[in-house]
Amino acid sequence: MNNQTYKKVTVAKSAGFCFGVKKAVERVYELLEEGEKISILGELIHNKSVTDDLEKRGAATIDDVLACEEGSTLVIRTHGVGEAVTKKAQATACKVVDLTCPYVKAIHKIVSEQSRSGKKVVIVGDKNHPEVLGICGWVSGEYYVVNTADEAAALKLDGVCVVAQTTINRTNFEKVVSQIEKNCTNVTVNDTICASTKVRQTEAQELSSQCDIMFVIGGKSSSNTKKLYEICKKNCEQTYFIENFEEIPQDINYKNKKIGITAGASTPQGIIEEVADTMEENKNVELSFEEAMEQTLKTLNTGDVVEGTVVEVRPTEVIVDLGFKSDGIIPASELTDDPDVKPADIVKAGDVIEVFVVGVNDGEGKTLLSKKKLDAIAGYKKLEEALESGKVMSGKVISTVNGGLIVSVEGSRVFVPARQASDRYTEDLSIFMNQNVDLRITEINTRRKRITGSIRSVLVEQKNALASKFWEDAEAGKKYTGVVKSIMPFGVFVDIGGVDGLVHISELSWNRIKNPSEVVSVGDSIEVYIKEINEETKKISLGFKKAEDNPWVIAQSKFNLGDTVSCKVVRFMPFGAFVELIPGVDGLIHISQIALKRVEKVEDELKIGQMVEAKITELNWENKRISLSIKALLAPEVVEEPEAAEEAPAAEEFVPVDVEAFVAENAEEEKADEE
């Protein structure tokens, strides 16, 4: 059998202590080395080898806070405890060291806040597991613990907060949640499965589906190890659940078999090594574990390029398991140059990535990493090739600097001079911020580590191609969807496909406007049509106003002779008052039609902005003239006849006024006054 050849053993990258367990175990050993007298409230972790070793070193395991001797250090294990137990511990004369897993603490906070707000808490997990018991202790109201979809089917609740035991099987959790959402209302689901658990279960799923034999190492009371065994057993019939190398079956046929090893979060690295070493010595299996050990023992140095597994993605950083003594941290700023991109947009838990070691801080046990630097190194070669070939590259504008823009392209910062930022002069470069742009690399200065590019060259090329196509089928009356490129006092220039046309200010609105910016802004997409085109001068006059939006067309369908309308006084003239019927359509109330009495001054009877009721007495759509009368709606005063009749004075003759001539003359005077 010793002469037979065997295939490689694969050890899951995430096998062994998770971040929280490793931190807790290391802290207890540190306290023991410092001479502290330790009492642990329950088993620190579900691993007999570790708990036995701690006991040998003097760490006692107790079941009640009151069993902690005065002056001792009371350790709260990774599973956490309820709020009442926490307060009880703080009230003792013992020093309290809380080693509750950060993920579990987050669940405590969620259920505490949600239950205080009136929510009913549903915990998906094993009701007898110490972690779940601790979570229940932070709920101030109604709560339920379910572990299967069948148990969840019995719930009929309104206002529910769902959390998960950190080590629960993800597939089972999703089934339970689906059932809860069917039966209950106002459900809030919190996916609180530990990131390390997610990674470990995903790796177990993949590895077991590829292997003929699987070994799952961990304590028999460990919940997360049981879940790993269940996952592996479904994919690999020959799966063994063992606590250490002594439990490896002796009658296994390893010939030409693919073998995989994974381990629970409470399994020390030493036990995994013993299992692998035993298999190597007794079965002559060529292990990949030696390579893993060599990497584990290697020292990290600044400048190293290493591979790691993403354990957790936070809003401002990413935690990476490097397989070394400490985990690594990638700050958000070292993931990408783009400030708008979140870490979760780039990586997710379980991703295997290559990173650059920026610095090692043994004091805090943290290693600073950068993904951005490696991306820049790889991208730099692409930029060199683009410079040679003239290939168009894509990037995002991430900042403006004196004299230009900085564009992130393939992980590198490319400087674009202001004159190369657009195909037209642009004074305010901030309008380009966060835009995705195409550019060409025009220069790479290796000595100064400076890369220069041009957006303009790409725009000009694209515009020329579009312009050529445009002139092939351009004609008066044709409609286009254009983009407002610039605004001038006399109108706006609109890009309608590689060429710019002018929409005169008079064509922007049926109402009188003082500046085009009252109607459109730079960058707006608008519908226009060609009014006039001159292929020789390449000048295009565009129309924007729609006939159906003409207020006089609208008015013609809205008003009839004899109608009583509500209108607003907008301006005075010596001969009367102009009123607005609808925006863009004014009518005239002659001074003789304002009141029953004789009116000397219009302003004595009316005020600007006043709403009045008037009767339409004349409609001249051709000349856009509407006459109205307030007097026509007023009842004449009853006057008693005098005993002796007197000769009535001659009625004052009403002389019609040429309104248009008067308005035109007055407009000239107003214009002169403004100037």
Side-chain angles (χ1 to χ4, degrees):
M1 190 170 182
N2 290 338
N3 297 323
Q4 294 172 342
T5 302
Y6 301 91
K7 294 188 178 181
K8 236 177 185 181
V9 169
T10 303
V11 180
K13 289 181 179 295
S14 63
F17 282 169
C18 68
F19 175 75
V21 170
K22 181 167 66 173
K23 182 179 178 182
V25 172
E26 288 177 351
R27 181 59 180 144
V28 172
Y29 276 108
E30 286 173 3
L31 291 170
L32 290 170
E33 289 175 5
E34 292 168 5
E36 297 273 357
K37 189 174 182 180
I38 304 294
S39 292
I40 305 173
L41 191 56
E43 290 185 343
L44 182 67
I45 59 173
H46 284 151
N47 187 278
K48 193 173 185 304
S49 298
V50 173
T51 54
D52 286 349
D53 186 59
L54 289 174
E55 189 174 342
K56 287 178 184 178
R57 294 171 183 262
T61 301
I62 61 176
D63 296 324
D64 191 282
V65 170
L66 298 179
C68 182
E69 297 179 13
E70 185 176 344
S72 297
T73 297
L74 176 64
V75 173
I76 296 177
R77 59 182 173 174
T78 55
H79 300 106
V81 294
E83 185 177 19
V85 178
T86 301
K87 290 180 178 179
K88 188 177 178 182
Q90 292 170 344
T92 65
C94 299
K95 173 186 173 183
V96 179
V97 176
D98 189 354
L99 297 179
T100 304
C101 169
Y103 282 98
V104 178
K105 276 193 173 182
I107 301 175
H108 291 172
K109 183 178 180 182
I110 291 170
V111 299
S112 176
E113 292 177 350
Q114 291 293 307
S115 60
R116 283 201 302 270
S117 69
K119 288 269 191 176
K120 301 172 184 66
V121 175
V122 176
I123 305 163
V124 184
D126 180 357
K127 64 182 179 181
N128 297 315
H129 192 280
E131 178 189 309
V132 175
L133 294 173
I135 295 170
C136 293
W138 286 89
V139 182
S140 59
E142 193 175 335
Y143 70 87
Y144 304 84
V145 179
V146 295
N147 201 25
T148 65
D150 290 340
E151 292 176 4
L155 300 177
K156 308 288 184 182
L157 306 171
D158 178 57
V160 179
C161 166
V162 181
V163 296
Q165 180 182 329
T166 58
T167 55
I168 195 172
N169 181 289
R170 170 160 293 283
T171 302
N172 182 50
F173 174 66
E174 291 172 351
K175 289 179 180 178
V176 173
V177 168
S178 177
Q179 190 64 55
I180 291 173
E181 291 179 330
K182 284 181 183 178
N183 296 353
C184 302
T185 55
N186 298 320
V187 178
T188 302
V189 179
N190 300 276
D191 184 351
T192 54
I193 299 175
C194 169
S196 296
T197 299
K198 297 175 189 175
V199 173
R200 191 175 285 106
Q201 290 181 359
T202 300
E203 287 185 359
Q205 175 77 27
E206 295 175 354
L207 186 57
S208 60
S209 64
Q210 299 168 4
C211 293
D212 303 304
I213 301 173
M214 279 295 300
F215 288 98
V216 181
I217 312 169
K220 293 297 171 62
S221 60
S222 168
S223 173
N224 75 86
T225 310
K226 288 179 183 177
K227 303 297 188 304
L228 293 177
Y229 174 73
E230 292 167 1
I231 291 170
C232 293
K233 188 69 174 175
K234 286 182 180 179
N235 295 320
C236 179
E237 181 62 31
Q238 204 169 348
T239 296
Y240 300 93
F241 190 165
I242 61 175
E243 288 197 11
N244 51 53
F245 73 96
E246 295 175 347
E247 296 184 4
I248 297 175
Q250 299 299 310
D251 57 348
I252 298 176
N253 178 12
Y254 295 94
K255 184 178 180 181
N256 297 324
K257 299 290 178 67
K258 293 181 180 179
I259 303 168
I261 297 176
T262 187
S266 301
T267 305
Q269 189 69 23
I271 292 180
I272 300 173
E273 295 171 19
E274 286 179 335
V275 171
D277 288 343
T278 300
M279 293 176 66
E280 181 182 20
E281 292 171 4
N282 296 341
K283 302 300 179 182
N284 195 29
V285 179
E286 181 189 354
L287 296 176
S288 62
F289 184 77
E290 292 180 358
E291 299 172 355
M293 279 296 296
E294 181 182 346
Q295 184 175 1
T296 301
L297 297 173
K298 189 171 66 176
T299 303
L300 277 175
N301 296 299
T302 299
D304 286 348
V305 176
V306 294
E307 192 177 78
T309 302
V310 175
V311 174
E312 183 181 357
V313 180
R314 299 173 180 171
T316 59
E317 62 186 12
V318 174
I319 308 300
V320 181
D321 180 4
L322 300 172
F324 292 81
K325 181 179 179 181
S326 64
D327 288 331
I329 293 179
I330 310 176
S333 59
E334 287 300 323
L335 276 169
T336 175
D337 273 329
D338 191 341
D340 295 327
V341 175
K342 300 175 182 177
D345 297 332
I346 301 176
V347 293
K348 64 181 184 299
D351 284 354
V352 177
I353 60 174
E354 211 172 35
V355 289
F356 181 89
V357 179
V358 177
V360 179
N361 189 334
D362 292 330
E364 297 181 3
K366 298 296 182 185
T367 302
L368 186 62
L369 309 172
S370 173
K371 181 178 180 296
K372 185 174 71 173
K373 289 186 184 299
L374 282 187
D375 291 342
I377 293 170
Y380 189 82
K381 186 175 181 180
K382 293 181 180 179
L383 296 182
E384 287 183 320
E385 293 172 353
L387 176 63
E388 291 290 327
S389 64
K391 179 182 177 181
V392 175
M393 306 294 286
S394 296
K396 184 174 182 179
V397 179
I398 58 173
S399 65
T400 59
V401 294
N402 187 24
L405 306 172
I406 299 297
V407 184
S408 178
V409 183
E410 295 290 345
S412 294
R413 295 164 65 88
V414 177
F415 173 69
V416 177
R419 64 181 181 279
Q420 295 298 325
S422 177
D423 58 341
R424 64 180 70 240
Y425 173 73
T426 306
E427 185 175 352
D428 183 12
L429 294 178
S430 65
I431 64 172
F432 297 107
M433 275 299 296
N434 298 319
Q435 285 190 17
N436 293 313
V437 296
D438 292 331
L439 51 74
R440 278 195 177 86
I441 304 302
T442 56
E443 182 185 0
I444 295 180
N445 190 320
T446 306
R447 183 177 60 83
R448 296 179 61 190
K449 296 182 179 179
R450 177 171 169 137
I451 306 172
T452 306
S454 171
I455 298 172
R456 183 179 184 278
S457 67
V458 178
L459 290 176
V460 169
E461 183 179 282
Q462 293 173 344
K463 199 166 184 178
N464 288 341
L466 289 171
S468 178
K469 186 177 184 307
F470 171 85
W471 289 110
E472 289 177 4
D473 54 8
E475 60 183 7
K478 191 166 184 178
K479 296 180 180 179
Y480 295 87
T481 298
V483 177
V484 178
K485 304 301 289 184
S486 62
I487 296 178
M488 300 296 177
F490 53 83
V492 298
F493 285 99
V494 180
D495 182 351
I496 54 175
V499 298
D500 290 351
L502 174 66
V503 180
H504 192 269
I505 187 171
S506 61
E507 274 295 322
L508 283 171
S509 174
W510 288 103
N511 299 322
R512 181 184 295 180
I513 59 173
K514 293 183 178 181
N515 192 286
S517 59
E518 296 176 35
V519 180
V520 295
S521 301
V522 172
D524 283 355
S525 179
I526 62 175
E527 297 293 328
V528 295
Y529 62 93
I530 296 177
K531 288 188 67 180
E532 295 180 13
I533 187 169
N534 189 324
E535 293 192 31
E536 292 183 6
T537 61
K538 302 299 182 184
K539 288 184 178 180
I540 303 169
S541 176
L542 300 174
F544 176 66
K545 293 188 301 186
K546 297 177 182 177
E548 59 267 28
D549 294 334
N550 186 339
W552 283 94
V553 173
I554 296 171
Q556 193 166 355
S557 64
K558 188 177 180 68
F559 302 116
N560 297 297
L561 189 65
D563 285 353
T564 297
V565 295
S566 179
C567 46
K568 182 171 70 174
V569 179
V570 292
R571 64 185 183 278
F572 295 145
M573 293 293 177
F575 53 82
F578 280 98
V579 292
E580 180 185 73
L581 283 82
I582 61 173
V585 175
D586 292 349
L588 173 67
I589 303 177
H590 191 272
I591 191 169
S592 65
Q593 298 300 308
I594 291 176
L596 291 171
K597 64 182 181 180
R598 180 183 178 86
V599 177
E600 296 292 338
K601 293 183 179 180
V602 179
E603 52 265 38
D604 290 342
E605 297 296 323
L606 302 174
K607 294 180 180 179
I608 297 296
Q610 178 182 350
M611 297 299 297
V612 297
E613 296 288 323
K615 182 178 181 179
I616 298 176
T617 58
E618 181 188 357
L619 286 174
N620 187 331
W621 299 117
E622 185 177 349
N623 296 316
K624 297 180 181 178
R625 181 186 298 167
I626 300 176
S627 297
L628 302 100
S629 172
I630 297 174
K631 187 168 79 172
L633 300 178
L634 301 175
E637 295 181 8
V638 178
V639 181
E640 295 182 3
E641 294 185 3
E643 294 181 2
E646 296 181 5
E647 186 178 344
E652 181 179 347
E653 183 180 357
F654 170 63
V655 180
V657 178
D658 188 339
V659 177
E660 287 190 350
F662 189 93
V663 171
E665 181 181 345
N666 194 69
E668 291 295 329
E669 292 178 0
E670 287 181 356
K671 184 175 180 182
D673 291 342
E674 290 177 0
E675 293 175 352

